[in-house]
Amino acid sequence: MKILILCDMFPPAFGPRMGYLCKYMKRAGWEPVVVTERIDDNTFSFLKGETSVTYVNFFRSKRKILHKLEWICVFILDFFFHYKDKKMAKVASRLLEKGTYAGILCSSYRAFPLPAARYVAEKHHLPLVIDLRDIIEQYASNEYIAHNFHTFSWLDKKITAAFRHKLLRDRNNALRKADMVTTISPWHVEKLKAYNPNTELVYNGYDPELFYPEQHRTAQFVITYTGRLISLATRDPRLLFEAVSRLDREKLIDPDKFRIQWYVDSESKAIIMQAATAYPVARYMDFFNYIPASEIPGVLNRSSILLQLANTFASDGPKGFMTTKLFESMAVEKPLLCVKSDESYLEAAIRKTRSGLAARTAEEAYRFILYHYRFWQDNGYTYIDTNKKEVEYFSRKKQTEQFMRIFTRLNSK
């Protein structure tokens, strides 16, 4: 089958879901064709492969001041007139007129390009599947907004409220017209079923060809985190800092042998350092820039504990986060430490796969780290006996099979 994929980014900067989908669709003999916004990020460029991709360029200026003015103009045009969706719909329509397609898949983390997908699906009478990797309601505050508006505080609040209303309206209108909706966690499924009862769970996952266990003896015990921190309300490392400061206080660890390594951007580093100010742990921490996605399996396999950051599920807090990094960590069979436990689906997944601990208290984190540190002292490496059958369920190959079954069903009606 030939499937047209409309998505907000490809190759994706932080959400490689569509990239892996195209990889395994092509392996199965399907033909994915992608239309996406041009974004200068090559984190997952290796995933493009031989996939046919048409990039829509909304921003042309490279000069900082002109680019900012251009961004403001595009934002205003898009807010009032759906400028970006209309432009993408024209590109998608030209492709659809040149060939026979079995359906349209649209993947987004907010709303763009859902209106474009809805329009071209109706125009060309094709099944529409909407895939939501994230939704606005999952965030503790306004972390879903990529850029601050930087006006007066009272005006910022009004703009944010109007922007949120528009995003939800556009998203929900598209959801109601979709033949099927897919999303990433049980919480997301229940939330989106209010707009479309045909909502199915397709987790994030790991590529089994890239993420598999390797055993390396290391000179240092390393706790590793790769990714972003949006805010402490969403991802809170302070239980880790409390546990490590106790280990230090009891002289069970020393900085020469015990390291916490962060592969993060500058904004995330600032959040981490702010959270660490109350704890004497700075001498245990190393910061590195992002690394190419192709290097991440090696970094994970040379680590002693893999860190996941979360926070307790709450009505005014984060909800339903189950990131790609979680499943990649499970696949390499290194002890996984989640702080702070969401006390919900994330904790349940870690328990079911036997991949580590979702710590609710600093005491739990302390005991978990100490146990694996002592194992490392005796053996030079760490290991955890996961439930391999449960971990394999999160393979990107199996998730691609889910998507293909959906389109096969829709085309058999």
Side-chain angles (χ1 to χ4, degrees):
M1 289 189 182
K2 193 172 185 179
I3 304 297
L4 182 67
I5 300 175
L6 274 63
C7 53
D8 45 0
M9 53 182 75
F10 189 100
F14 294 102
R17 188 172 173 90
M18 290 298 103
Y20 286 118
L21 176 69
C22 289
K23 172 182 175 178
Y24 284 106
M25 268 191 171
K26 290 184 75 68
R27 293 271 186 91
W30 288 41
E31 186 179 352
V33 176
V34 176
V35 179
T36 188
E37 178 177 355
R38 181 177 294 281
I39 295 175
D40 292 329
D41 188 298
N42 295 314
T43 307
F44 288 93
S45 57
F46 68 94
L47 281 176
K48 180 180 181 295
E50 297 179 358
T51 302
S52 173
V53 184
T54 300
Y55 293 100
V56 183
N57 195 359
F58 298 107
F59 304 99
R60 299 186 181 278
S61 176
K62 299 294 183 182
R63 297 176 63 183
K64 189 173 181 180
I65 295 176
L66 290 176
H67 179 77
K68 190 169 185 178
L69 289 172
E70 193 175 28
W71 182 88
I72 293 170
C73 290
V74 169
F75 176 83
I76 293 170
L77 287 170
D78 195 49
F79 187 92
F80 289 105
F81 306 109
H82 278 122
Y83 167 73
K84 291 175 70 174
D85 284 287
K86 287 179 178 177
K87 190 171 180 179
M88 183 169 277
K90 286 182 181 179
V91 174
S93 287
R94 286 199 295 267
L95 288 171
L96 290 168
E97 288 163 2
K98 294 177 181 178
T100 302
Y101 288 79
I104 295 172
L105 172 61
C106 185
S107 182
S108 176
Y109 87 102
R110 287 194 315 203
F112 170 77
L114 297 180
R118 173 190 170 189
Y119 171 78
V120 294
E122 291 177 348
K123 179 182 177 182
H124 295 273
H125 308 290
L126 289 171
L128 172 62
V129 177
I130 288 177
D131 178 60
L132 291 178
R133 308 186 306 273
D134 294 293
I135 61 174
I136 291 170
E137 297 93 329
Q138 76 190 45
Y139 293 95
S141 184
N142 296 319
E143 299 97 337
Y144 61 90
I145 297 177
H147 300 275
N148 292 324
F149 296 110
H150 297 300
T151 61
F152 302 105
S153 59
W154 61 270
L155 185 56
D156 268 3
K157 290 179 181 178
K158 289 186 177 295
I159 295 173
T160 300
F163 188 46
R164 178 186 173 93
H165 175 77
K166 178 188 183 297
L167 291 175
L168 289 172
R169 182 193 64 206
D170 290 348
R171 185 201 72 185
N172 296 342
N173 286 341
L175 288 175
R176 293 184 183 101
K177 296 293 184 179
D179 295 277
M180 177 67 70
V181 176
T182 58
T183 192
I184 61 161
S185 85
W187 180 84
H188 288 76
V189 170
E190 291 306 311
K191 192 73 179 177
L192 296 178
K193 274 188 174 180
Y195 308 103
N196 191 319
N198 297 319
T199 300
E200 187 171 314
L201 174 61
V202 182
Y203 283 104
N204 280 315
Y206 67 95
D207 186 341
E209 294 183 352
L210 298 176
F211 294 90
Y212 50 84
E214 294 178 342
Q215 207 58 270
H216 298 278
R217 285 183 166 81
T218 59
Q220 291 181 317
F221 182 91
V222 178
I223 298 176
T224 301
Y225 181 83
T226 63
R228 288 189 300 170
L229 273 76
I230 304 170
S231 69
L232 290 179
T234 303
R235 295 173 181 153
D236 190 346
R238 285 176 289 194
L239 277 189
L240 170 70
F241 297 152
E242 189 175 342
V244 171
S245 63
R246 178 180 168 187
L247 290 165
D248 175 68
R249 189 169 61 252
E250 295 175 358
K251 302 189 184 304
L252 295 171
I253 58 172
D254 69 82
D256 291 334
K257 295 291 185 182
F258 187 103
R259 307 303 302 167
I260 306 171
Q261 295 187 349
W262 306 90
Y263 293 83
V264 296
D265 57 13
S266 57
E267 290 81 6
S268 298
K269 179 180 178 180
I271 294 172
I272 293 164
M273 294 303 294
Q274 175 193 355
T277 52
Y279 307 94
V281 296
R283 64 197 183 110
Y284 285 97
M285 299 199 299
D286 305 306
F287 288 90
F288 304 94
N289 294 325
Y290 286 139
I291 56 174
S294 56
E295 295 180 18
I296 289 177
V299 169
L300 300 187
N301 270 304
R302 289 188 295 273
S303 301
S304 308
I305 286 177
L306 300 176
L307 183 64
Q308 292 288 311
L309 296 180
N311 209 337
T312 306
F313 181 104
S315 60
D316 60 346
K319 296 167 279 290
F321 279 92
M322 298 188 77
T323 67
T324 292
K325 300 300 179 192
L326 169 70
F327 304 109
E328 292 174 347
S329 297
M330 290 176 177
V332 298
E333 297 180 2
K334 290 291 181 181
L336 192 162
L337 175 61
C338 174
V339 293
K340 185 177 181 184
S341 172
D342 68 337
E343 302 183 22
S344 185
Y345 296 114
L346 180 57
E347 179 180 301
I350 293 171
R351 187 185 303 116
K352 193 172 184 179
T353 56
R354 299 200 305 264
S355 54
L357 171 71
R360 297 188 177 198
T361 66
E363 172 70 21
E364 287 182 337
Y366 164 87
R367 293 185 180 278
F368 183 83
I369 295 169
L370 182 58
Y371 172 84
H372 290 288
Y373 183 66
R374 285 174 171 165
F375 185 95
W376 171 83
Q377 287 177 313
D378 293 337
N379 299 280
Y381 64 89
T382 59
Y383 167 77
I384 195 160
D385 185 19
T386 62
N387 184 329
K388 293 177 177 56
K389 185 176 180 180
E390 291 294 337
V391 172
E392 286 173 5
Y393 177 75
F394 302 114
S395 160
R396 294 287 190 186
K397 184 177 180 181
K398 290 186 181 295
Q399 290 155 6
T400 300
E401 291 169 358
Q402 280 184 265
F403 277 108
M404 292 191 298
R405 285 196 297 271
I406 288 170
F407 278 105
T408 300
R409 283 201 311 268
L410 293 175
N411 277 271
S412 66
K413 290 182 177 179

